[in-house]
Structure formats: C-alpha cells, structure tokens
C-alpha cells in the first residue's frame, strides 16, 4: 500500500528558501505529497501564492510560519500552523520581528563595511520577498567570491564568533506561543532537539509552553535521528501534545534536503496531519 505523505515545514523565497511559493507547491506535488505547509521565517508573504498553486494541483495546504524565539537555552523556533487568513495581530507581530531583523541586518553590513566589504542593503533586500536574514547576506558573500560557500560565510563572518556577527533580537518563546494560540493557530516547537541542550531541558521547556497553549512538537525533521524522534514523542505523550513533522526544505540554500523526504529517509504519514486536525476540531478550530 502506498502511504500518503506530508511535509509541514518548508521555506520559500518569501524568506530564505530558493523556490518561489508556487514552485514549492509544484515540487510538493511532484514529490507525491498529499499535503504541505509553507512556514517561512517571520513572514506570511508567500502563503497566498502557495495556497492558490496547491489548490490548482489538488494538494492540501496548511498556512504556516516559523517564528524565531528565545528560550533560557538560546534560540528556539516555533511553528504556527493553520494561521488564520486574516489576523491584524499576527501581521503586526511579524512586522515587528522583521523590523528587528532589518535593524540587525544594517548592523551586520556596518560591521562588514568596517572590514572592507561594502554591501548595499538594497542588494540584500531584493533577495527575499518577505523576511530577510543572514542567509541572504551569505549568498551575496558567496556570489562576490569573498567566501567559497555558505558554511564559510557563517563560520568566518555571520555565525557566532564570526567577524560580523550580530545577535538577532527575538521575542520570548512563551510570548510567541501565546499569540499563536490566541489567534487560533496551532503552535508547535520546531526541531526541538536540533541543538544539544542539558538533559531534561526540553521537558521543562515544553512544560512551560504547554501552559501558554502549545499544541505540538515537531517529532520528525531532516536533522533529527530516530532516537531523537522517540524522545520527542515520549515528551509529547506525557503532556498530551500533538506530533508534527517536516523536512525544513530550503531549496538550494540547504543542499541535500528534499521537500518531503529530507535527506532521503524522511517519510511523514498523513495520519500525523489527521491527528493534528482532530485536535483542532475537538477545540472548535477550523482546519
Ligand atoms: P537568521 O534567521 O537571519 O539568523 O538566519 C538563520 C538561518 O541561517 C538558519 O535558519 C539557517 O538556515 C542558516 N544558517 C545558520 N547557520 C548556518 C551555517 N553555519 N551554515 C549555513 N547556514 C546557516
Ligand atoms: Zn531558514
Ligand atoms: Fe528553524
Ligand atoms: Fe525552518
């Protein structure tokens, strides 16, 4: 029997992916997926285009975004799934996050300028149609031959310890989860075990966010091992939370990660989507 597969974590040119939202929908269909979510960083600019294309291809589409937030152990990402079509509150919230990104981008370009690399903000801005970040600056550094690849752009310049590193101003994770819950979206912790953290930390973090309306954990992700998935599933079960999964596909910005199948061994069954939808229906939320 052919299983129905889904991907609830992808990026487009609205943030730091390289497929346009419509291309992404076509790619998801070509990969044989039944449903996918577009979850660009701090923006919903790509959702309408992706949704229209998905609809014309008979693909189920979930409106989403990925919000960069802070925890007591550094940056954590919160996915908002089933975003309402219209939410002035969310629009304003994301607008502020992008303004913080833009101020930070200016500071990064200033640091680069101090070290003899002159990049104009406009050159960076035209690389994304929504939310601009370090990957866009990295792409410019690569294109100009200043660094050989993305990895070096981050290790030498943009990453922590790099010569032009500037921290990103981000909201507290609890605040982002609360807002998403209040507007009727499903807040999910993205790639919960992507970075090493002290033992037991994730459980405490989840306990904290559960009080704010957290709905699920991303159990399956291109960079998580089966052992990590199991650990995440156990925590989700303990707190009666849902399970989500996605490739975190970014196109050419993350080589080796395919839409739907990740590094080749990702296969997220549509039952996960059904269960997340069931949780929403039980609370009277639209799916
Ligand atoms: P920003 O949100 O602007 O801070 O950029 C963060 C994004 O940069 C992440 O989502 C990754 O996609 C990318 N990134 C971070 N570190 C690296 C790295 N060492 N190599 C390549 N890409 C990276
Ligand atoms: Zn990204
Ligand atoms: Fe992320
Ligand atoms: Fe992501």
């Amino acid at each position: 029997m052919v299983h129905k597969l889904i991907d609830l974590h992808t990026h487009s040119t609205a943030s730091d992916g390289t497929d346009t939202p419509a291309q992404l929908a076509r790619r998801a269909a070509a990969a044989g997926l039944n449903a996918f979510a577009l979850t660009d960083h701090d923006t919903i600019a790509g959702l309408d285009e992706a949704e229209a294309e998905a609809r014309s291809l008979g693909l189920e589409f979930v409106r989403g975004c990925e919000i960069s937030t802070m925890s007591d152990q550094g940056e954590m990402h919160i996915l908002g799934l089933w975003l309402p079509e219209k939410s002035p509150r969310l629009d304003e919230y994301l607008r502020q996050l992008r303004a913080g990104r833009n101020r930070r981008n200016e500071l990064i370009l200033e640091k680069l300028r101090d070290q003899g690399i002159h990049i104009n903000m406009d050159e960076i801005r035209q690389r994304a149609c929504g939310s601009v970040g370090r990957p866009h600056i990295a792409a410019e550094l690569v294109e100009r031959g200043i660094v050989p690849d993305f990895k070096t752009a981050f290790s030498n310049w943009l990453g922590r310890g790099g010569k032009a590193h500037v921290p990103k101003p981000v909201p507290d994770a609890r605040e982002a989860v609360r807002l998403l819950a209040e507007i009727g979206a499903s807040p999910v912790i993205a790639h919960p075990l992507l970075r090493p953290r002290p033992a037991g930390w994730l459980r405490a973090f989840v306990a904290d966010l559960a009080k704010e309306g957290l709905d699920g954990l991303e159990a399956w992700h291109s960079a998580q091992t089966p052992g990590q998935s199991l650990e995440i599933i156990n925590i989700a079960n303990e707190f009666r939370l849902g399970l989500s999964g996605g490739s975190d596909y970014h196109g050419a910005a993350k080589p080796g990660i395919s839409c739907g199948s990740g590094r080749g061994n990702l296969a997220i069954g549509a039952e996960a989507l059904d269960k997340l939808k069931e949780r929403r229906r039980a609370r009277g939320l639209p799916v």
Side-chain angles (χ1 to χ4, degrees):
M1 176 188 143
V2 180
H3 279 286
K4 293 181 176 178
L5 298 176
I6 61 163
D7 189 338
L8 298 181
H9 187 162
T10 68
H11 297 267
S12 75
T13 47
S15 66
D16 55 0
T18 58
D19 283 4
T20 65
Q23 280 173 337
L24 191 55
R26 290 194 285 274
R27 191 178 297 276
L33 301 183
N34 277 72
F36 85 107
L38 176 60
T39 54
D40 275 309
H41 300 283
D42 302 330
T43 183
I44 58 166
L47 296 185
D48 289 349
E49 180 185 319
E51 184 163 37
E53 189 69 10
R55 200 164 281 168
S56 77
L57 295 163
L59 255 179
E60 184 171 347
F61 181 70
V62 178
R63 295 174 71 89
C65 69
E66 180 176 23
I67 302 181
S68 301
T69 73
M70 196 42 73
S71 74
D72 58 329
Q73 284 288 328
E75 195 169 314
M76 287 294 287
H77 292 175
I78 304 293
L79 297 166
L81 298 175
W82 287 281
L83 299 177
E85 226 154 278
K86 247 184 130 58
S87 169
R89 261 187 88 189
L90 179 67
D91 291 346
E92 175 56 20
Y93 194 69
L94 297 180
R95 195 192 61 72
Q96 282 179 29
L97 298 183
R98 292 193 301 274
R101 280 178 169 276
N102 290 341
R103 286 191 294 275
R104 176 219 203 187
N105 292 334
E106 296 279 6
L107 293 176
I108 294 175
L109 294 192
E110 230 168 77
K111 279 197 174 182
L112 286 170
R113 219 149 29 230
D114 290 345
Q115 296 170 87
I117 300 170
H118 295 264
I119 298 174
N120 196 303
M121 194 60 198
D122 291 338
E123 293 168 277
I124 302 303
R125 217 173 272 140
Q126 67 198 25
R127 287 179 177 273
C129 62
S131 159
V132 183
R134 286 181 296 171
H136 303 104
I137 303 177
E140 183 73 25
L141 291 173
V142 172
E143 230 173 76
R144 291 195 188 187
I146 292 164
V147 292
D149 50 34
F150 256 61
K151 202 170 170 296
T152 316
F154 276 88
S155 59
N156 287 4
W157 297 98
L158 307 172
R160 214 180 303 164
K163 287 178 278 189
H165 180 257
V166 178
K168 179 171 59 190
V170 294
D172 189 280
R174 286 167 291 205
E175 180 191 297
V177 166
R178 198 179 314 134
L179 175 112
L180 289 168
E182 282 173 3
I183 63 170
S186 296
V188 169
I189 300 177
H191 42 69
L193 291 174
L194 188 62
R195 287 191 193 86
R197 298 266 160 65
W201 177 78
L202 179 61
R203 193 185 167 280
F205 184 60
V206 169
D208 225 23
L209 294 188
K211 293 181 217 147
E212 308 291 345
L214 183 72
D215 189 61
L217 304 182
E218 189 174 52
W220 307 282
H221 180 274
S222 299
Q224 274 167 190
T225 65
Q228 289 177 321
S229 294
L230 196 61
E231 191 180 335
I232 292 164
I233 291 166
N234 285 335
I235 294 175
N237 287 342
E238 182 184 345
F239 291 92
R240 299 186 187 287
L241 295 170
L243 301 172
S244 184
S247 63
D248 212 352
Y249 173 75
H250 279 69
K254 270 194 192 170
I257 308 275
S258 299
C259 180
S261 54
R263 292 188 199 283
N265 47 8
L266 200 65
I268 304 152
E271 308 79 46
L273 178 66
D274 293 339
K275 284 184 188 163
L276 287 171
K277 284 159 74 174
E278 200 38 59
R279 293 173 63 83
R280 289 181 60 80
R281 284 194 200 98
R283 280 176 287 143
L285 294 170
V287 292

